[in-house]
Every structure is written in structure tokens, then in C-alpha cells.
Amino acid sequence: MSVTKPRTAPAGTKHTGRDTAESEKLFGKPIPRTEDARLLSGNGRYLDDLGHNALIAAFVRSPHAHARITGIDIDAALDLPGVHAIYTYDDLADDSPEMAENLPLLIPHPAITAPRNGYPLAKDEVNHVGEAIAMVVADSRYIAEDACAKIDVTYEMLPPVVGIDVARQADNAVHADVPDNVAAHLQHGFGDVDAELANAPHRLTLNLEIERSASMPMEGKGVYARWDTDEQALTFWTSTQTSTSARAAIAARLKMAHNKVHCIAPDVGGGFGVKIVHPWPEEVMVTWAARRLGTAGISSEVKWVEDRREHFVSSAHERGQIQEVTVGFDDDGTLLAFDFTFWHDNGAYLPYGIIVMLNTSTQVLGPYKPKSFRVDAYSLYTNTVIVTPYRGAGRPQAVFAMERAMDAIAKYLGKDVIEVREHNFIRPEEMPYDFHLTFQDGRPLIYDTGNYQAGIDKLKKLIDWDGFAEYKKQAKAEGRAVGIGIGAYVEGTGPGPYEGAHVLVETSGKVKAATGLTTQGQGHQTAFAQIVADDLGVPVTDVEIVTGDTRRFGYAVGTFASRGAVMSGSAFHVAAQMVAEKARKIAGDALNLDPAELELRGGHVCKIGTLPGAEGTSISLGVVAVLSNPLRYAFDDASRQATGFAKADTDMTIPPVREGEQPGLEATGYYSPPTSTFASGVHAAIVETDPVTAEIHVRRYAVIHDCGNVINPRIVEGQVMGAVAQGVGGALYEKIVYDEHGQMLNASYMDFLMPFVTEMPDSLEMDHTVTPSGLNPLGMKGAGEAGVIPTSAVIAAAIEDAEGIPITSMPISPSELFELRLAHASSQSKENE
């Protein structure tokens, strides 16, 4: 696979070679990631690297998709040497009412008509294969699993509900008190869709499907808990995307004060959405068991690490939807009506609300402005693993619906697919564009900035759109079938409600900075350090960034929805600017200069236009940190020596502490956006399909992306590239398959296919447009999910162009394409008769 670097640098990129303060700026520079040396040399600290002396937990999980539990016999397991405890739901109920409650429903919404969630351990009924029923705590994982095998659970079988079609028929119910299996029903829109459809010169209806998939991070879930009997305090480490929320959930469940509970996200080997839910049943059980066993003097440490099959059958999936799209349009392809009905599979429970369905229902609009729009969406219970956001989170389904419709309109009218899209674009001069709908963050759906025409103009050049017809003609002459496809999208990023950051300058001049947001490989330690280093005028290597540790920063929302840079990046900027302002005031007092005359540069606070370190006009940031604590400066001889002044009565003035100002060169800042900011992009692919085997090869893939001002282009390229890889997997390989009994048929990497580098496009080319956001101080937009969002739609369009066969369901395999060929040939034969 070859990769072409951006042809034009994103906004914020500074060119080297100029001896000015501007050339020193780090924002926009593609510096290498500072965390990589540690991680690549094997010095990462992942969950399973911790707690070597802990007792180990394992879970008895349901082998049935739907059954009533009639008995649990643990006697044989209790006799096994090395087993310390076995817990069932009854033990939770005996402990406290809080432990016996359902797990929380995290995000309420008026469209949720029947919210249901499970328990930390199954109470009376299991609703999917893999649901936890009992937990064993033993000296080792081997002993714990042997004990699990000896626990005898008896069941009364109930009819399973598997798949959207079965759930819609509602012959049986997942939850007896929800007979129609509808968890949520959402309707919204604008304009008069019925009238526009009735009067439209042309109408088309498409029936589409996106299959269920899963994110499959390299590291599964895991949790390690330590109970401190003396302090009556709990510390737990968990592989999570939401450490502060996990802490709050566990504190509430265990009825503990927040200051007695700490949650730390160590190095996390991938998240992609599956590690958002808080708390997972295993987090509740392991932390509860650590306290219980620690109090009893058995062991204060308990740990559980998920194996791969557990991840398949008990974590979370996404993507599965059935869609019906009806469009009305005129002779130019102007979209007069977009009527969108879809059915979403949310699995057995609804812990994370309807974020996936909300994203599909709002972001289906993409860069277009239909005259009228209507969504009628249903989220359905099935006896399968829960569905929560997976990178893209409902947006790939939305783009599939809209972009397949755009292609269908173009084919019907005999127009170029780009021409139809251009005809419907929202224009830059129409920004901000208000759809008068509510976005998934509960705030108005208003696009802040974007230039979609500029993106498609760049894409045409990058993929050589105008030259493709000749290339296709040559390929046909050689006996090869090739096709080209395109897909555009707009992605809501950086949703609130807030993120915060703390920035501290130590007396050494080094900077310690922390945010509650977690990290799963995004390059936060580098990108956030670039922001702080710019604001404080220090080398990036002097900035240490800590994320996901509630001991360092206790309040946050989490890492998801492409919000890291926008939210915590802005919070770091706010906090660092507060520190810089304080540093100028202190240095101004010490140097008898107006703070307005001072700037932070080269690790110093110095007079504008002078060299850092110049006598009488400059003072190091470390000295300013000393001076920020007047008592320490006056009475601590070591601190006085550190400043270079041996006496307290030196000519340097000891600055007073101003009213309302705290000692210390530090600050905590928060950022809360008025609305989400909207990134965008357009992708194109050239595919080749084998005439005999129906194998599908992506020959070229091109990306034009707009995420506003870019902190670090190298990191953004890596994010987009990785997401494209997941998009290719979702388009061609990855599918969770259940049989009618609710048994997963491909719960291993032998059967659940994921792309290797050999399955990536032969050529991946990338470029940018830049429309900065005015909603945050640095003009940023999110980038983490962009690459995966349009990929299925793009590759479907390219295969359809190559084969001349409608592609309405993704992912698509060679065998499925082969069957489509046979069906199409049979249909054509009947028409000819």
C-alpha cells in the first residue's frame, strides 16, 4: 500500500527556516508522537500488566440466547482448592438494594419508549448468549475457569428473538413487558414530505441493509481493583474510554464518597466505542468483590481480563440496520423530499440510549439541503449482544442511505454522480446552516462551517475522476472490470457538555498538565503538549500530559464522538492561557514592567522583542513558578538560590498575592461548546472485481478531509488512515453472524474476518480542505471517525459501477457478489424472453 501525503498543508502549519516567534509555533507541525518510543519498546502499561498479586475472576456466562434461570448449584465449584468466592445475583441482593438494582440507563431521551437494562449478574432471566450469571474469584484464571465449569445452571428455555425482521414481527418478545420489541421510536423532520413526493417529477424507493459488526480492539476489556482497608478507599484500573464516569458509577453503586474512589485508565489497547459504557457488569463485580474480600481479610486485590470469545459474546456490537429510502427529485436532480424509515437492532438491552439511532437520523442529511425531510426510526430489542457506538456510531449507516440515494438519482436521470451531488450542496455563503432539528447532543443541528464544493474539486483531481472513463475502457479491453464510487459526509464532532484541564508550571520550568479525558492511541500526549507548549513558550518535550486518571483530574465526559482535540484541546488552551496571564503579571511585578509588554518564549517570560534570558528584561518560567508562592520565596533558601538571588531584599520585588488569586503557577480551565462543530469530507474508490471468482480489490482510495485547523497533520493522517482500514473491513469482510437460536457462528478471528495490510487499498491518497470552526478558540474540528464513515457507501458504488448490478447491502463478500451476478443474469434473461 502506498500513501500520498497531503498536497497542501492544513491551516496552522508553519514552515521552518524563519527566525521569528511565529516559526517556533508547534500547532500545525507534523512532529513525531512522543509516546511512541515507550509503547513500541514494550514499556506500555496495559491492564494485564497490573495486579500480578491479585486474585483472578472469571464468569459463568449463559450458553442460551433466551432462557429463565431455574437454579444455580455452586457446591462442586466451592470444593475446588484455590477458589475463594463465588457470587450470584442473590449475593448482590443480600448485600444492599443498590447492588441489586439494574445497571444504569445512561442517556435518557423522549423517544425511548421502553428502557430496559440488565443486572451485574443475571437475576431471573438471560437475554443473550454470554450474559454473566455468576462470578468466581480464585488464585488463578485456570482455577477460576475450572470452577465455572463445575457450576450447574439449569434453565427453562424461552423463544429467542434474533434479527430485525423477527423483532419486527413480534411473534415473541425479548422482554415480556415490551411485546412489540420496540425500545424507542423517533420521528422528526422539516417541510411537507408527502406534498413534495406527490408533486415531484420523479420518485424512487430503495431498500437497503447494513449488517451487524463489532469494533474488535486489540485489547479487550479488563478491570483491576484494590481495596485499602485502612483508608476505606477503592482504587481501580479499567480499560475504558470514560474513567471519570466509571468512577462516578462505581461510587454510586458501592455507596461510597467520590473522594474515596479513584479510577485510572492505564494504556488502553484500542477502544473504538466498545469501552464507553459505564459501568460494565464486570467493573461492578470486580470492584465490589475487592472491597468485600479485602474487608474480610482474604485479599484486597481482584482482577479480571476478558478473553477474545468473551469479547465477542458479551461486550458490544454495532451497525445493524434495515432502511427504506424514498426520494422525490426534479429533472436536475434537486432533492425535493427525503423520506427515511429505518429499523435499528439495539440488542438485548439499552444501556447507552439511542445515540447510534440519533446519529443516523440526523447525519443522514450530509452536505445536502433537501426541501423536505422526514425520519421514522425504530430501535428494536433482540436476544443478542447489546449495541453501542462503534467508530462512526450510526454515521456509516446514514451515509449509506443518502449516498446510495444520490447514486440512484444520478443513474435514473443519466447524469454524472458528482453533478447531482453538487446540485444539492449547501454553499459556504449559507453557513451557518440551521436544519431546525435537534442533534444527538440535545442542541440545535447547525453546521458551523464547511466548503463541500472545494472538497469535491480536490477529490476529482486526486482520483483523476475525469480520466477514469478512458481507464475503464482500457480495462474492459483487457478483460478486467473496474468501477469508481464516491461518497460525501458531514460529521458532528466535539459535542459537549464540557471538558477541563489543569496546567502546572513547576519550579524546574517543566509543565505538568492533566485532563480527565482518556487515551486509546490518538496521540493525545503529543497533540495536547503542542497546544500547551505554544501557549507557555516552552519546548514540547518539557510538557507532560496525563489523561484518564481521576487522581489528577476528577471531572470529565470521555473520549468518543471525535471530541478529544476539540474539547480537551480547547480546555488545555484555556488553562494554559490562564497560566500565561498569571506568569506575565508575576514577571511584570518582578521586573517592574507592564505585563502587556511581556511574552512567553524560550522557557522565559521576557519583554517583547528581546532575547529570552536577557538581564533585566527576562525571567525564566521556573523562577516565575517560585515567585508565584511568595512565602516559599521569602523563607526557603533553596528556592531563593534557584532564582539566582541570595537575599530576600534583592532588587527583585517579591510580588504580592492579588485578591482572588491563588499561589502557584497553575490553573484549571474548562471549555463548553455552544453546539457541536461539523467536520466533513468526501472519499472515492476505484475497485476491480474478478470475473471468475468475484473477488473484490480496492485499487485506489482517495480522501479529502476537513477537520478545521489541524494540531498535528501526521496524527490526523494516521487517524484517517486507520479509520479507512476499519471502513474497508466493514465494507468487505466484517460481519457478526447469528443463527435463529441466537448462537453466534463466528465468534473467533478464524471466522470473523478483519483486513490485514494486504487487504488495504493498493494506493491510499489524502488531502485536506480547511474551514476553521468559530465555536472553539483554536478553530478545530474532530477527525477520529472520519475515515470509516463513507467507506461502505463508496465501495458499494464502485462495485455497482464495475458490475452494473445494484448493491443494496453491505458488507459484501465474493460469494455474495457471485450470487448477485447469477440473480441479475437470471432476471435479465427473463426480461429478454
Side-chain angles (χ1 to χ4, degrees), residues 563-584:
R563 66 191 302 274
V566 174
M567 298 301 300
S568 278
S570 295
F572 273 120
H573 176 64
V574 170
Q577 287 286 307
M578 293 166 68
V579 171
E581 181 182 6
K582 189 173 184 179
R584 283 191 291 268

Side-chain angles (χ1 to χ4, degrees), residues 12-246:
T13 301
K14 309 301 180 188
H15 300 282
T16 58
R18 291 165 48 200
D19 187 21
T20 66
E22 183 71 2
S23 66
E24 297 171 5
K25 291 295 183 183
L26 291 160
F27 191 105
K29 285 190 176 180
I31 67 172
R33 296 185 357 156
T34 58
E35 54 266 62
D36 285 353
R38 178 177 64 84
L39 296 173
L40 294 173
S41 60
N43 291 310
R45 295 268 292 170
Y46 297 90
L47 195 286
D48 205 26
D49 295 319
L50 310 173
H52 296 300
N53 297 318
L55 297 181
I56 303 300
F59 290 86
V60 176
R61 298 186 183 275
S62 172
H64 306 297
H66 200 193
R68 187 170 291 112
I69 299 170
T70 58
I72 304 175
D73 185 350
I74 65 173
D75 290 345
L78 280 173
D79 292 336
L80 199 66
V83 172
H84 294 279
I86 298 175
Y87 301 117
T88 66
Y89 174 82
D90 288 342
D91 296 295
L92 302 179
D94 290 342
D95 180 90
S96 68
E98 289 78 17
M99 289 303 300
E101 291 176 352
N102 292 86
L103 293 167
L105 292 157
L106 300 175
I107 304 176
H109 191 276
I112 300 175
T113 56
R116 299 292 181 273
N117 205 359
Y119 298 87
L121 294 175
K123 183 181 178 184
D124 302 312
E125 187 174 294
V126 289
N127 285 302
H128 67 86
V129 171
E131 187 165 358
I133 297 172
M135 182 176 82
V136 174
V137 182
D139 286 334
S140 71
R141 181 68 179 251
Y142 300 102
I143 296 172
E145 291 198 357
D146 285 347
C148 286
K150 290 179 177 292
I151 295 174
D152 183 21
V153 184
T154 54
Y155 304 91
E156 176 189 334
M157 303 304 297
L158 298 171
V161 176
V162 182
I164 293 174
D165 285 334
V166 175
R168 285 168 61 186
Q169 291 170 8
D171 294 331
N172 297 295
V174 175
H175 303 287
D177 56 348
V178 189
D180 60 359
N181 293 313
V182 175
H185 182 205
L186 174 69
Q187 293 176 302
H188 68 198
F190 55 79
D192 191 336
V193 169
D194 292 327
E196 294 293 345
L197 284 174
N199 296 324
H202 311 287
R203 290 182 297 277
L204 289 172
T205 296
L206 289 78
N207 292 295
L208 307 169
E209 185 171 2
I210 294 276
E211 292 282 3
R212 177 184 277 234
S213 185
S215 56
M216 296 296 149
M218 291 179 68
E219 177 200 41
K221 304 195 309 295
V223 58
Y224 158 55
R226 180 191 297 159
W227 174 253
D228 187 322
T229 303
D230 293 335
E231 295 289 336
Q232 292 290 288
L234 175 74
T235 302
F236 69 103
W237 292 256
T238 181
S239 185
T240 184
Q241 295 175 236
T242 53
S243 57
T244 57
S245 298

Side-chain angles (χ1 to χ4, degrees), residues 777-799:
L778 295 174
M780 301 177 292
K781 300 178 180 180
E785 296 168 279
V788 76
I789 292 172
T791 317
S792 285
V794 170
I795 291 176
I799 295 170

Side-chain angles (χ1 to χ4, degrees), residues 366-713:
Y368 312 114
K369 49 179 180 182
K371 189 172 180 181
S372 63
F373 168 70
R374 180 169 62 200
V375 166
D376 192 14
Y378 299 85
S379 195
L380 303 173
Y381 287 116
T382 60
N383 288 118
T384 58
V385 173
I386 64 171
V387 167
T388 64
Y390 160 36
R391 196 175 194 172
R395 301 175 186 90
Q397 300 95 307
V399 172
F400 191 70
M402 178 60 80
E403 295 300 295
R404 292 279 64 209
M406 285 290 170
D407 288 333
I409 291 169
K411 181 179 180 180
Y412 181 90
L413 295 174
K415 291 182 176 290
D416 180 80
V417 294
I418 287 183
E419 179 186 347
V420 170
R421 286 169 169 84
E422 291 174 330
H423 202 71
N424 288 282
F425 276 159
I426 300 166
R427 301 294 165 182
E429 60 271 19
E430 297 176 281
M431 297 291 183
Y433 194 89
D434 189 348
F435 283 106
H436 300 287
L437 297 172
T438 301
F439 189 47
Q440 58 108 324
D441 59 2
R443 297 176 180 181
L445 179 61
I446 301 174
Y447 292 177
D448 48 337
T449 58
N451 189 338
Y452 312 129
Q453 185 63 53
I456 214 161
D457 289 343
K458 278 195 169 188
L459 185 77
K460 288 177 69 174
K461 294 178 181 178
L462 197 60
I463 200 73
D464 189 19
W465 185 270
D466 293 336
F468 179 75
E470 181 60 29
Y471 172 72
K472 185 171 185 175
K473 180 179 178 182
Q474 292 174 358
K476 185 177 181 179
E478 297 167 1
R480 298 187 297 119
V482 296
I484 194 167
I486 192 170
Y489 64 95
V490 175
E491 177 198 2
T493 71
Y498 73 93
E499 287 295 341
H502 178 256
V503 175
L504 165 70
V505 178
E506 297 186 318
T507 55
S508 64
K510 303 289 187 180
V511 181
K512 305 290 187 183
T515 182
L517 186 121
T518 57
T519 296
Q520 304 93 49
Q522 296 90 338
H524 288 160
Q525 279 73 20
T526 303
F528 293 156
Q530 287 178 258
I531 292 172
V532 173
D534 274 354
D535 287 329
L536 298 182
V538 299
V540 71
T541 51
D542 282 355
V543 182
E544 176 194 86
I545 300 291
V546 173
T547 62
D549 186 339
T550 62
R551 299 170 303 178
R552 292 287 298 272
F553 204 93
Y555 295 94
V557 178
T559 304
F560 50 87
S562 301
R563 66 191 302 274
V566 174
M567 298 301 300
S568 278
S570 295
F572 273 120
H573 176 64
V574 170
Q577 287 286 307
M578 293 166 68
V579 171
E581 181 182 6
K582 189 173 184 179
R584 283 191 291 268
K585 289 178 180 177
I586 294 170
D589 285 340
L591 298 171
N592 294 313
L593 292 172
D594 186 341
E597 299 181 78
L598 301 175
E599 64 178 345
L600 279 70
R601 184 160 43 91
H604 287 70
V605 183
C606 55
K607 189 174 181 179
I608 296 171
T610 64
L611 291 175
E615 187 176 352
T617 59
S618 176
I619 182 171
S620 75
L621 205 55
V623 170
V624 176
V626 174
L627 295 174
S628 68
N629 189 336
L631 289 178
R632 180 176 178 186
Y633 176 77
F635 298 109
D636 184 342
D637 186 64
S639 296
R640 294 201 306 274
Q641 292 290 345
T643 68
F645 297 92
K647 301 184 299 180
D649 61 352
T650 178
D651 292 338
M652 179 177 284
T653 304
I654 299 174
V657 177
R658 294 172 175 81
E659 184 177 352
E661 188 176 274
Q662 296 179 348
L665 193 53
E666 60 183 302
T668 298
Y670 288 89
Y671 167 71
S672 182
T675 62
S676 292
T677 179
F678 287 83
S680 63
V682 59
H683 295 197
I686 294 174
V687 305
E688 181 173 343
T689 57
D690 190 284
V692 178
T693 66
E695 289 182 277
I696 302 161
H697 302 278
V698 183
R699 297 304 184 194
R700 291 182 65 186
Y701 201 94
V703 176
I704 304 294
H705 181 54
D706 177 6
C707 60
N709 292 335
V710 176
I711 305 170
N712 187 316

Side-chain angles (χ1 to χ4, degrees), residues 240-263:
T240 184
Q241 295 175 236
T242 53
S243 57
T244 57
S245 298
R247 172 205 193 188
I250 293 301
R253 180 69 55 159
L254 300 184
K255 293 185 68 176
M256 293 180 63
H258 271 214
N259 66 344
K260 291 293 186 178
V261 179
H262 290 293
C263 177

